[in-house]
Amino acid sequence: MEFNKEKWKEKLEERLLEKFSVSLKDASPFEVYKALGETVMSFIAKDWYETKQEYSKTKQAFYLSSEFLMGRALGNNLINLGIDKEIQEFLKELGIDYNQIEDEEEDAALGNGGLGRLAACFMDSLATLNLPGQGYSIRYRNGIFNQYLRDGYQVEKPETWLKYEDVWSVMRPEDEVVVNFGYTSVRALPYDMPIIGYGTKNVNTLRLWEAHSIVDLDLGVFNQQDYLHATQDKTLAEDISRVLYPNDSTDEGKKLRLRQQYFFVSASLQDIIKKFKKVHGREFSKIPEFISIQLNDTHPVIAIPELMRILVDVEGVLWEDAWEIVKKTFSYTNHTILAEALEKWWVGLYQEVVPRIFQITEGIHNQFKNELANLYPNDVNKQNRMQIIQGNMIHMAWLAIYGSHKVNGVAELHTEILKEHELRDWYELYPDKFLNKTNGITQRRWLLKSNPQLASYITELIGDAWIKDLSELKKLEQFIDDKKVLSKIWDIKIEKKKELVEYLRETQGIDINPNSIFDVQVKRLHEYKRQLLNIFQVYDLYQQLKQNPNMDFVPTTYIYGAKAAPGYKVAKGIIRLINDIAQIINGDDEIKDRLKVVFVENYRVTVAEKIFPAADISEQISTAGKEASGTGNMKFMLNGAITLGTLDGANVEIAKEAGEENEYIFGMRVKDIEELRKKGYDPRFPYNNVTGLKQVVDALIDGRLSDLGSGIYREIHSLLMERGDQYFVLEDFEDYRRKQREINRDYKDKISWAKKMLKNIANAGKFSSDRTILEYANEIWNIKETKIK
Ligand code: CJB
């Protein structure tokens, strides 16, 4: 976008005056933020409109996701418009600090973790690639909770991003629809957010639905007696979009959650079909030619029977014809093999919430049951395993696979495990449906925006084509022996570490040595991600430094950031444990600056932007086979952190791209785990035989550590020692510790370390969400670049 300083100044002043009755020189940072946001919105309005016009003529992909973890928009939008530097400069001339303005924006935190952030990266890539793709979700009033620490325990407080309204959302009352549940109906009111592509005029859309009572439509119809009842109804309706479920990789199985899912899915499909009809009339057989719908995990899978309902009940299409359309329209992404995350709904509840949808689901179930009986007449077990309704449970993943033309996993290893194990029956039946789409991240947010120093240095070396084509980074390999380049990327890392140190000093009052190794694990707290393995190693290291004060050791800072699902007791116990150990180590005068442990409060997108660029070590230590892909691992890599990881999820591909010698790979592989399970794993073996391990595990219960009486440390101890150590924490401890020592030795050789950094950066190209999205576009959605003029 052309930047015209005078025009911006004029607009900004106009906005401030109209909206807040204030002049530019007296405006507060909040007022400037709002006015600036609105000014951006006014400048993109025309392009946004034109993009919608163009897209309506062509095939579009719709990404249905219960989560979009967007983070802040202002900085990203300015960058994508190519006017970030100009705006910063222009504000500076007016005596305004841009950073202060940016800090006025709350994160749009409508997601839990990886799955939601992936959806957000996909939006950025779709717009940047001029692809006709739109997101649909819920406009949760409260996003993921804010996390505070009290006595080292997590406490949750509501997040309120809409408290002072949102400048990036535009209400579209003309597109409101009614969603019918069993006993009641609610209004779905859409709000659109622009998704501004980088270096293009295209502006895509993320449409979020807000729930309202139909009572609001016409309060007049209610007489005096009904008034209280009417207001109650209003609350019930509005509850639907009130709060994001804060569980990650687990199924809540709650009535409200099913209501949320049906609410946004039904509204979105009504919207999609309404727009289709405007252009194509009643030629429903053309739907697959113009519409592709991606189901992001099982959460929106109820879309399959809902599209059947719209076609059969509302539009009068024959069931058989409707089913053909449905199958060609949907595709489904699986994000986890954890059984607890594959949603199943109890028939009784489903029937109560969406009775008509239940009938249709039953119809689909019966149809498939007959197919199965014909396919496997001699294998009743298999027939039973694959049924959509089993006993009184509805299996949403099975419904998804049956009703989709493509099913994908999110990393090579994950897809292989799905095909060979979790979804083996299905893969045998539908081999052509299955494919892999390794996840990716947008380099615009995760390098250009969060690490401008590294970004501009890369541009200085190889030009700026990497911003739109990350495979360009490969050209950096020519500098692998260039001492000047190596020392510069080292210096940039130190600079980013200093910025993080400053942030943590301001927000948490902690002092960190920027010359220490920053070893970072940031992600949701989950047993399978093994934050426990990490903190055990730290505690062991602490004992060694105490016994051996002259040990040759580069100072190290262990940094953690993680939210735990509020009802996940063990995860919350692990947060306490990390903080407990942090307090002991950080308060030990004999240790001083050599070892430090920091738990970053309220880890979220905006904080992540400060953490990834500052990391030396990327901890990706899940039990092999459990992490579907991971995407944090890619953000670290792109910023020159070295992976310390298991061969799990996309770590496998990271090691392959950068060379295993440039990462620290440890621990059991998937096949080792299978073998050990068969043989019988006894955690008492490593416990008794690995030096120091017993000391660490027993600290949980011998009084050296304290859970303040909650009993959770004993529980964790028992999970490890009496209940089989499901995630092989003890088994992998020794190898993990060995790699930690190796890292500490290798870090001293600055040049060879910087080479590893450069190798990682140069080979991060594959992990752009642009690559991922192009694969979806070509191999699943069949959508084409549609650039506006
Ligand atoms: N994932 O964030 C979630 N939530 C779930 O409920 C299930 C999976 C994560 O999705 C990411 C995006 O595909 C993956 O990278 C990550 O491994 C997976 O845990």
Side-chain angles (χ1 to χ4, degrees), residues 26 191 243 307 347 357 406 444-445 469 490 589 593 786:
D26 291 330
Y191 285 76
V243 59
L307 184 55
V347 165
I357 291 299
K406 287 285 184 289
R444 271 77 62 184
R445 184 174 293 260
D469 175 6
W490 177 281
D589 285 340
D593 249 6
T786 306

Side-chain angles (χ1 to χ4, degrees), residues 113-115 118 248-249 297 335-336 410 439 528 627-631:
L115 176 148
L118 181 75
D248 179 75
S249 306
D297 216 277
H335 292 268
T336 178
V410 290
N439 284 164
Y528 84 79
E627 188 72 270
S629 162
T631 43

Side-chain angles (χ1 to χ4, degrees), residues 156-355:
E156 303 92 25
K157 298 210 173 140
E159 180 285 331
T160 54
W161 69 298
L162 295 175
K163 190 169 48 180
Y164 304 121
E165 296 178 336
D166 170 41
V167 279
W168 309 107
S169 316
V170 182
M171 190 208 283
R172 305 278 188 204
E174 71 284 3
D175 283 346
E176 180 172 298
V177 296
V178 173
V179 174
N180 295 310
F181 291 91
Y183 296 103
T184 175
S185 303
V186 302
R187 290 162 49 219
L189 177 62
Y191 285 76
D192 288 352
M193 284 182 164
I195 308 292
I196 300 171
Y198 177 87
T200 172
K201 287 175 74 138
N202 282 40
V203 179
N204 285 14
T205 302
L206 170 60
R207 173 159 281 197
L208 304 177
W209 299 98
E210 190 173 76
H212 289 270
S213 165
I214 42 170
V215 173
D216 289 348
L217 272 180
D218 186 5
L219 252 179
V221 303
F222 290 87
N223 60 34
Q224 212 69 17
Q225 279 82 351
D226 262 351
Y227 181 75
L228 280 182
H229 182 247
T231 49
Q232 200 184 2
D233 182 89
K234 182 171 157 73
T235 317
L236 277 176
E238 287 171 3
D239 274 348
I240 292 177
S241 57
R242 188 155 339 259
V243 59
L244 169 86
Y245 274 80
N247 53 315
D248 179 75
S249 306
T250 43
D251 170 24
E252 273 287 332
K254 292 263 165 65
K255 198 197 254 185
L256 180 60
R257 174 122 171 141
L258 181 59
R259 284 207 178 129
Q260 288 188 334
Q261 295 180 352
Y262 184 65
F263 166 75
F264 96 89
V265 158
S266 174
S268 307
L269 284 176
Q270 291 185 55
D271 195 44
I272 291 167
I273 296 300
K274 193 158 73 184
K275 286 182 181 146
F276 172 86
K277 282 169 77 180
K278 259 194 201 149
V279 182
H280 307 283
R282 302 185 48 77
E283 286 190 84
F284 297 113
S285 63
K286 281 194 172 164
I287 286 177
E289 257 174 72
F290 287 92
I291 296 170
S292 188
I293 303 177
Q294 191 68 31
L295 303 170
N296 195 29
D297 216 277
T298 51
H299 321 137
V301 167
I302 203 164
I304 290 171
E306 172 64 3
L307 184 55
M308 286 298 284
R309 185 193 67 81
I310 294 174
L311 292 174
V312 175
D313 290 8
V314 183
E315 305 294 352
V317 177
L318 284 176
W319 175 282
E320 292 72 19
D321 297 342
W323 185 249
E324 282 308 307
I325 294 170
V326 163
K327 265 196 310 191
K328 290 183 199 146
T329 303
F330 288 105
S331 41
Y332 157 66
T333 305
N334 175 285
H335 292 268
T336 178
I337 60 158
L338 301 181
E340 63 266 35
L342 292 180
E343 288 181 304
K344 295 171 195 71
W345 290 107
W346 182 55
V347 165
L349 184 142
Y350 193 93
Q351 199 167 13
E352 183 195 327
V353 174
V354 281

Side-chain angles (χ1 to χ4, degrees), residues 610-626:
K610 301 177 200 296
I611 292 179
F612 290 114
D616 296 306
I617 291 295
S618 157
E619 294 262 3
Q620 308 300 336
I621 60 177
S622 52
T623 312
K626 295 287 181 193

Side-chain angles (χ1 to χ4, degrees), residues 471-601:
S471 68
E472 284 282 315
L473 291 182
K474 193 82 188 169
K475 292 184 177 157
L476 289 170
E477 286 214 335
Q478 64 187 287
F479 302 105
I480 200 71
D481 293 313
D482 187 328
K483 296 252 164 68
K484 208 182 95 232
V485 171
L486 295 172
S487 113
K488 176 78 183 174
I489 64 168
W490 177 281
D491 291 346
I492 291 172
K493 182 63 81 181
I494 298 283
E495 193 182 337
K496 298 310 283 182
K497 286 162 82 171
K498 286 183 177 157
E499 287 177 17
L500 181 63
V501 167
E502 191 48 42
Y503 172 77
L504 291 172
R505 188 181 0 253
E506 273 170 23
T507 52
Q508 291 183 226
I510 309 170
D511 257 311
I512 304 169
N513 169 8
N515 295 313
S516 62
I517 299 171
F518 281 20
D519 178 307
V520 186
Q521 187 171 19
V522 286
K523 48 180 79 252
R524 284 299 286 257
L525 203 311
H526 207 294
E527 285 161 276
Y528 84 79
K529 295 180 190 281
R530 299 200 295 192
Q531 281 94 350
L532 196 55
L533 175 60
N534 183 335
I535 196 66
F536 274 0
Q537 191 283 138
V538 172
Y539 194 62
D540 175 72
L541 177 61
Y542 171 60
Q543 312 295 333
Q544 301 212 18
L545 285 169
K546 293 288 277 186
Q547 281 162 20
N548 221 331
N550 298 321
M551 192 168 121
D552 185 24
F553 179 74
V554 180
T556 304
T557 303
Y558 288 91
I559 298 173
Y560 302 80
K563 287 179 182 173
Y568 190 174
K569 294 225 178 66
V570 171
K572 290 179 132 179
I574 294 169
I575 291 182
R576 162 67 201 173
L577 180 65
I578 294 168
N579 284 301
D580 191 1
I581 291 174
Q583 202 180 13
I584 293 169
I585 296 177
N586 301 348
D588 188 332
D589 285 340
E590 285 174 27
I591 294 295
K592 292 218 186 63
D593 249 6
R594 305 182 74 197
L595 182 59
K596 216 151 243 171
V597 181
V598 182
F599 191 96
V600 181
E601 215 170 40

